[in-house]
Amino acid sequence: MLASKDLILNYEALKISQSHRVSEGAKRLIWEVFFGSRQRGISLSVHFPWLDDDRQKVTCLTLEKVEGRVTRVCAALVIKHQHIDGLGVVGFVGMVCVAPDHRGHGLSTRLMEGAWDYAKNAKLGALVLWTNQPGVYEKVGFFVDSQDLYGTVKQAMAPTVSREGAIRKDGDIRQQRLRTYGVPPFADEVIEFSDGDVAVTLCKSKSGVTLADWHGDTERLISIIEQVLPDAWQINIRQDAPLLEVLHKHNYRMDLRPGAVRMLRRISLPDAESIPYINILQRI
């Protein structure tokens, strides 16, 4: 049996591997940590179709160890290169995971330090991530840039006809399933409803419907919302979004609480806070 000192030295001996492909070992770990252990998910190709898309620049960092004849990935993270108009390329960081039996030995910190070194060498403007545990990343140089609001939205007065349950399409509203960015881990499908230049994008899951994105005139957005959303639904929204005021105006009741925070680590961007809001469909 190894003494604790020997165990620590073994972890210190692990080397960070870097690849522009996400290995099968890394995929297995990502799936188990974010999906299998939470009894959710469809497949990585559905949730993150860009992982194997050669048109997307993706970098995977892993910490691996050899167990007999098998090389095991015991920690991993993914960096997705994202071009931001007027700012250049930044790195979205996500899928930071450590195998349960290897936690508590600073592996995620080592990966984040490796991500920082990679980002500098790749001349990225900044690293960006979303989390509910900001303290973990403040230790490695990230700072909180903004915070989402998340919660339930209901009409103050019950509609004449109940909309409880299924999403539906009425009148001239166009409906289509979206797979552009992938389906968020908490959802089963993504559906866009549009009427001309106005659209809402919804994430549907067994637990309900989340309004994830929208664009166009806010008053016309309300018209689509009233037609296609159920009696109660969820929203993920930035704190200063104009839609909040419009929902209040139309007597929607909102029970919103602080959600995920966006964290940045500036590299070459003089003003990394100028990165625009990124909705939950485009995050990793």
Side-chain angles (χ1 to χ4, degrees), residues 203-264:
C203 295
K204 188 179 180 183
S205 68
K206 295 178 181 63
S207 60
V209 177
T210 300
L211 178 58
D213 193 22
W214 54 91
H215 63 263
D217 178 78
T218 50
E219 292 294 336
R220 289 174 61 198
L221 285 173
I222 294 296
S223 175
I224 296 181
I225 287 171
E226 289 179 344
Q227 292 182 67
V228 304
L229 279 160
D231 297 340
W233 40 279
Q234 307 295 313
I235 193 170
N236 200 92
I237 191 168
R238 69 178 191 268
Q239 293 176 314
D240 60 346
L243 183 60
L244 286 174
E245 183 177 346
V246 177
L247 288 170
H248 277 299
K249 176 183 173 182
H250 285 266
N251 298 317
Y252 280 86
R253 290 179 296 144
M254 290 176 280
D255 179 16
L256 303 181
R257 56 191 180 275
V261 296
R262 185 173 82 174
M263 303 192 74
L264 307 177

Side-chain angles (χ1 to χ4, degrees), residues 64-82:
E64 304 172 353
K65 72 173 185 177
V66 178
E67 297 177 334
R69 297 183 178 181
V70 177
T71 299
R72 182 187 178 194
V73 176
C74 49
L77 65 74
V78 172
I79 302 172
K80 181 183 179 186
H81 289 225
Q82 186 72 36

